[in-house]
Amino acid sequence: MTYTADEFGLYLALAIHGGTQVDFIDEDALLNSTVMAGYKVVFVTQPNLPKAGIQGLAAWSKAGGRLVM
């Protein structure tokens, strides 16, 4: 199975079968606390996240966000 197929499977499980609103966040958004404040849960599907993105996610998670990797 490829990375894209795994990502699509997660999308299907959450959006189609789970009825959950799904959005895709780019790496730049991870650095913007105002943008990230609009999210309760983030699933990280990218295999190679830049250090700055990891730091942004860590700060968001410490502020109460739920991070799933």
Side-chain angles (χ1 to χ4, degrees):
M1 200 176 248
T2 67
Y3 163 72
T4 305
D6 290 342
E7 189 176 60
F8 184 66
L10 180 59
Y11 168 79
L12 286 176
L14 292 170
I16 305 301
H17 300 295
T20 303
Q21 183 178 349
V22 176
D23 191 11
F24 292 88
I25 305 170
D26 65 18
E27 294 170 354
D28 294 331
L30 300 176
L31 307 176
N32 186 329
S33 60
T34 303
V35 171
M36 293 303 294
Y39 296 96
K40 295 179 182 179
V41 178
V42 171
F43 286 81
V44 176
T45 59
Q46 183 173 342
N48 300 310
L49 196 59
K51 184 177 181 178
I54 293 170
Q55 291 170 337
L57 278 173
W60 171 81
S61 179
K62 286 179 185 175
R66 292 192 175 224
L67 181 60
V68 180
M69 299 180 80

